[in-house]
Amino acid sequence: MPCLAKSSLMNTPMPTPLVVGAGPVIRALCEEIGLVETVNQTVAWDAQRCHLSPGERIFALIVNLLTARQPLYRVHAQFQLTDVPLLLGSGRTAADFTDDALGRALDKVAAAGGATVFSAVATRALLHDHVWTPDNPVFVHGDRTTRSVYGTYPDPDSASGVHPTYGHSKDHRPDLRQILLTLLGTREGIPVVGTVQDGNLSDKTLNAEMIAALDDDFSPQQLQQLVYVADSALVTGPNLKAMADRSLRFLSRCPDTFRAAQEAKTAALAANAWVPLGKIGERADAF
């Protein structure tokens, strides 16, 4: 009986399959709001010297953030497993998205102002989805949270960058330094303005800075269309004056430190028109 030799194909390693996952959906959404074009119009860059535009590299970072969540130095390795031409365009390779290349794109965003670039993209999304119309007020909700960080950071007395510091930790990790993330978004869920701040700023200070930052992102006419929604930390004398100076309407809760708040509660309870529903919490002062 003749001996049957094993086929050479059996010894040939199978190529690693390339994937795109949710990338095409993310690309379609970014194309709808013109993300790449908006970034390229907002930052300073030289089209003759850049192999890829900053907007393309920022888009690649967004894809990574929403899918693989790899650190900057690992993004290109993740794209080696991705059908890059299909997802990011013909002629693109994983080598176009090294940490050096992505870092240079982030430097351009930082030079233009991260909040400025963010707001330019967000405003275009608002217009695309017809959230911003001349006849209707736009309700924007402001809130903030903390993010604990690890490691060694520059001297907090230096003038550059955001400084992770100790503060009131919403993560319940007072042993760690933190940064503050602030976001202003519409009730439709579209972010409008986002900032990163030092970790020990008070809510009252953050509201004051957010109100001032609106001048960079909205025209006086657009400010008159906004309704700024925030918690009771918004209601301070300086903040009220700053909003009045801009004809900016707001919706908030009167702080308990105001006599008017206590008088309103007393009058409401005295009306005796309430239906008891029980306590909503276990704290001693819960209603």
Side-chain angles (χ1 to χ4, degrees):
M1 173 180 289
C3 180
L4 297 178
K6 292 184 179 180
S7 171
S8 61
L9 293 177
M10 297 179 64
N11 297 323
T12 303
M14 296 295 292
T16 302
L18 300 179
V19 298
V20 290
V25 176
I26 300 169
R27 176 170 184 166
L29 292 172
C30 290
E31 287 177 346
E32 278 193 26
I33 63 173
L35 179 135
V36 171
E37 295 82 358
T38 304
V39 172
N40 290 341
Q41 293 166 3
T42 309
V43 307
W45 65 291
D46 187 343
Q48 299 299 319
R49 300 180 61 184
C50 292
H51 173 57
L52 294 184
S53 71
E56 291 177 275
R57 291 193 162 112
I58 296 302
F59 166 67
L61 281 175
I62 292 173
V63 171
N64 170 68
L65 179 66
L66 296 177
T67 56
R69 296 186 65 84
Q70 292 290 338
L72 198 65
Y73 75 96
R74 290 285 300 166
V75 173
H76 79 285
Q78 178 64 32
F79 280 145
Q80 288 176 344
L81 307 176
T82 303
D83 191 336
V84 174
L86 175 64
L87 181 59
L88 301 174
S90 177
R92 308 315 190 228
T93 68
D96 293 324
F97 303 97
T98 62
D99 54 346
D100 287 339
L102 297 174
R104 287 193 294 271
L106 290 173
D107 286 342
K108 291 179 173 61
V109 171
T116 299
V117 177
F118 182 94
S119 298
V121 174
T123 301
R124 188 155 177 173
L126 288 170
L127 294 171
H128 176 270
D129 290 336
H130 306 290
V131 174
W132 196 291
T133 59
D135 301 326
N136 298 316
V138 178
F139 288 80
V140 288
H141 298 247
D143 206 353
R144 62 213 57 82
T145 190
T146 60
R147 182 59 58 89
S148 298
V149 294
Y150 301 80
T152 302
Y153 297 91
D155 185 348
D157 294 330
S158 64
S160 61
V162 174
H163 303 117
T165 56
Y166 297 105
H168 176 68
S169 174
K170 296 182 179 180
D171 294 334
H172 305 292
R173 291 297 306 269
D175 57 310
L176 297 177
R177 297 186 184 190
Q178 64 184 21
I179 55 176
L180 281 170
L181 306 179
T182 304
L183 183 67
L184 195 68
T186 71
R187 56 186 176 184
E188 291 82 9
I190 299 177
V192 178
V193 179
T195 63
V196 182
Q197 302 283 1
D198 294 353
N200 58 354
L201 294 182
S202 70
D203 288 350
K204 295 177 181 179
T205 302
L206 286 169
N207 274 308
E209 292 188 0
M210 181 61 75
I211 294 169
L214 294 176
D215 294 338
D216 298 328
D217 303 304
F218 301 101
S219 67
Q221 293 75 22
Q222 289 175 324
L223 281 176
Q224 293 178 16
Q225 291 179 250
L226 294 182
V227 179
Y228 189 99
V229 183
D231 57 26
S232 61
L234 172 66
V235 185
T236 68
N239 287 348
L240 292 174
K241 183 180 185 305
M243 289 187 289
D245 291 343
R246 294 165 173 80
S247 299
L248 176 63
R249 292 171 290 175
F250 73 96
L251 180 62
S252 186
R253 175 183 179 275
C254 189
D256 286 335
T257 54
F258 282 39
R259 181 186 300 174
Q262 297 301 324
E263 291 175 348
K265 287 182 180 180
T266 301
L269 292 173
N272 201 25
W274 299 89
V275 178
L277 297 177
K279 287 189 174 184
I280 62 173
E282 297 302 324
R283 289 174 42 178
D285 59 349
F287 283 95

